[in-house]
PDB file of all heavy atoms in Angstrom:
ATOM      1  N   ARG A  66     -49.903  24.591 -35.169  1.00 97.00           N
ATOM      2  CA  ARG A  66     -51.182  24.078 -34.745  1.00 97.00           C
ATOM      3  C   ARG A  66     -51.938  23.498 -35.864  1.00 97.00           C
ATOM      4  O   ARG A  66     -51.605  23.738 -37.032  1.00 97.00           O
ATOM      5  CB  ARG A  66     -52.069  25.334 -34.279  1.00 97.00           C
ATOM      6  CG  ARG A  66     -51.564  25.930 -32.947  1.00 97.00           C
ATOM      7  CD  ARG A  66     -52.421  27.226 -32.626  1.00 97.00           C
ATOM      8  NE  ARG A  66     -52.171  27.593 -31.264  1.00 97.00           N
ATOM      9  CZ  ARG A  66     -51.177  28.423 -30.951  1.00 97.00           C
ATOM     10  NH1 ARG A  66     -50.235  28.901 -31.851  1.00 97.00           N
ATOM     11  NH2 ARG A  66     -50.963  28.750 -29.696  1.00 97.00           N
ATOM     12  N   ALA A  93     -51.478  17.692 -29.897  1.00 97.00           N
ATOM     13  CA  ALA A  93     -51.713  18.631 -30.973  1.00 97.00           C
ATOM     14  C   ALA A  93     -52.641  19.794 -30.401  1.00 97.00           C
ATOM     15  O   ALA A  93     -53.665  19.527 -29.615  1.00 97.00           O
ATOM     16  CB  ALA A  93     -52.456  17.924 -32.082  1.00 97.00           C
ATOM     17  N   LEU A 166     -50.913  13.461 -39.678  1.00 97.00           N
ATOM     18  CA  LEU A 166     -51.098  14.782 -39.279  1.00 97.00           C
ATOM     19  C   LEU A 166     -50.129  15.151 -38.024  1.00 97.00           C
ATOM     20  O   LEU A 166     -49.525  16.341 -38.020  1.00 97.00           O
ATOM     21  CB  LEU A 166     -52.556  15.029 -38.790  1.00 97.00           C
ATOM     22  CG  LEU A 166     -53.499  15.104 -39.900  1.00 97.00           C
ATOM     23  CD1 LEU A 166     -54.975  15.080 -39.425  1.00 97.00           C
ATOM     24  CD2 LEU A 166     -53.295  16.499 -40.561  1.00 97.00           C
ATOM     25  N   LEU A 167     -49.810  14.188 -37.241  1.00 97.00           N
ATOM     26  CA  LEU A 167     -48.856  14.417 -36.103  1.00 97.00           C
ATOM     27  C   LEU A 167     -47.542  14.632 -36.770  1.00 97.00           C
ATOM     28  O   LEU A 167     -46.693  15.554 -36.279  1.00 97.00           O
ATOM     29  CB  LEU A 167     -48.885  13.261 -35.069  1.00 97.00           C
ATOM     30  CG  LEU A 167     -50.046  13.141 -34.240  1.00 97.00           C
ATOM     31  CD1 LEU A 167     -50.098  11.942 -33.448  1.00 97.00           C
ATOM     32  CD2 LEU A 167     -50.073  14.397 -33.291  1.00 97.00           C
ATOM     33  N   GLU A 168     -47.128  13.907 -37.747  1.00 97.00           N
ATOM     34  CA  GLU A 168     -45.866  14.112 -38.306  1.00 97.00           C
ATOM     35  C   GLU A 168     -45.764  15.389 -39.134  1.00 97.00           C
ATOM     36  O   GLU A 168     -44.704  16.152 -39.026  1.00 97.00           O
ATOM     37  CB  GLU A 168     -45.664  12.884 -39.448  1.00 97.00           C
ATOM     38  CG  GLU A 168     -44.250  13.080 -40.137  1.00 97.00           C
ATOM     39  CD  GLU A 168     -43.160  12.986 -39.250  1.00 97.00           C
ATOM     40  OE1 GLU A 168     -43.170  12.337 -38.150  1.00 97.00           O
ATOM     41  OE2 GLU A 168     -42.131  13.638 -39.682  1.00 97.00           O
ATOM     42  N   LYS A 169     -46.891  15.818 -39.806  1.00 96.00           N
ATOM     43  CA  LYS A 169     -46.920  17.096 -40.543  1.00 96.00           C
ATOM     44  C   LYS A 169     -46.823  18.235 -39.508  1.00 96.00           C
ATOM     45  O   LYS A 169     -46.264  19.265 -39.761  1.00 96.00           O
ATOM     46  CB  LYS A 169     -48.176  17.239 -41.363  1.00 96.00           C
ATOM     47  CG  LYS A 169     -48.221  16.314 -42.489  1.00 96.00           C
ATOM     48  CD  LYS A 169     -47.146  16.467 -43.560  1.00 96.00           C
ATOM     49  CE  LYS A 169     -47.330  15.556 -44.668  1.00 96.00           C
ATOM     50  NZ  LYS A 169     -46.237  15.759 -45.544  1.00 96.00           N
ATOM     51  N   LEU A 170     -47.450  18.012 -38.293  1.00 96.00           N
ATOM     52  CA  LEU A 170     -47.330  19.117 -37.239  1.00 96.00           C
ATOM     53  C   LEU A 170     -45.942  19.191 -36.707  1.00 96.00           C
ATOM     54  O   LEU A 170     -45.379  20.248 -36.517  1.00 96.00           O
ATOM     55  CB  LEU A 170     -48.321  18.730 -36.169  1.00 96.00           C
ATOM     56  CG  LEU A 170     -48.851  19.703 -35.183  1.00 96.00           C
ATOM     57  CD1 LEU A 170     -49.406  20.899 -35.918  1.00 96.00           C
ATOM     58  CD2 LEU A 170     -49.759  19.161 -34.189  1.00 96.00           C
ATOM     59  N   ARG A 171     -45.204  17.970 -36.562  1.00 96.00           N
ATOM     60  CA  ARG A 171     -43.730  18.066 -36.126  1.00 96.00           C
ATOM     61  C   ARG A 171     -42.973  18.694 -37.169  1.00 96.00           C
ATOM     62  O   ARG A 171     -42.118  19.545 -36.770  1.00 96.00           O
ATOM     63  CB  ARG A 171     -43.383  16.538 -35.839  1.00 96.00           C
ATOM     64  CG  ARG A 171     -43.604  16.008 -34.561  1.00 96.00           C
ATOM     65  CD  ARG A 171     -42.863  14.698 -34.253  1.00 96.00           C
ATOM     66  NE  ARG A 171     -43.920  13.833 -33.556  1.00 96.00           N
ATOM     67  CZ  ARG A 171     -44.687  12.907 -34.011  1.00 96.00           C
ATOM     68  NH1 ARG A 171     -44.587  12.662 -35.204  1.00 96.00           N
ATOM     69  NH2 ARG A 171     -45.448  12.316 -33.292  1.00 96.00           N
ATOM     70  N   GLU A 172     -43.153  18.444 -38.390  1.00 96.00           N
ATOM     71  CA  GLU A 172     -42.446  19.057 -39.438  1.00 96.00           C
ATOM     72  C   GLU A 172     -42.671  20.579 -39.434  1.00 96.00           C
ATOM     73  O   GLU A 172     -41.675  21.277 -39.727  1.00 96.00           O
ATOM     74  CB  GLU A 172     -42.743  18.417 -40.798  1.00 96.00           C
ATOM     75  CG  GLU A 172     -42.374  17.047 -41.078  1.00 96.00           C
ATOM     76  CD  GLU A 172     -42.936  16.540 -42.347  1.00 96.00           C
ATOM     77  OE1 GLU A 172     -43.507  17.189 -43.155  1.00 96.00           O
ATOM     78  OE2 GLU A 172     -42.640  15.285 -42.604  1.00 96.00           O
ATOM     79  N   ALA A 173     -43.833  20.957 -39.140  1.00 95.00           N
ATOM     80  CA  ALA A 173     -44.155  22.428 -39.211  1.00 95.00           C
ATOM     81  C   ALA A 173     -43.500  23.044 -37.915  1.00 95.00           C
ATOM     82  O   ALA A 173     -43.292  24.238 -38.009  1.00 95.00           O
ATOM     83  CB  ALA A 173     -45.688  22.606 -39.168  1.00 95.00           C
ATOM     84  N   GLY A 174     -43.174  22.324 -36.904  1.00 91.00           N
ATOM     85  CA  GLY A 174     -42.509  22.950 -35.737  1.00 91.00           C
ATOM     86  C   GLY A 174     -40.940  23.054 -35.886  1.00 91.00           C
ATOM     87  O   GLY A 174     -40.350  23.558 -35.013  1.00 91.00           O
TER      88      GLY A 174
END
Side-chain angles (χ1 to χ4, degrees):
R66 291 181 171 81
L166 283 167
L167 288 171
E168 180 61 28
K169 295 294 182 183
L170 201 54
R171 274 189 219 99
E172 290 173 6

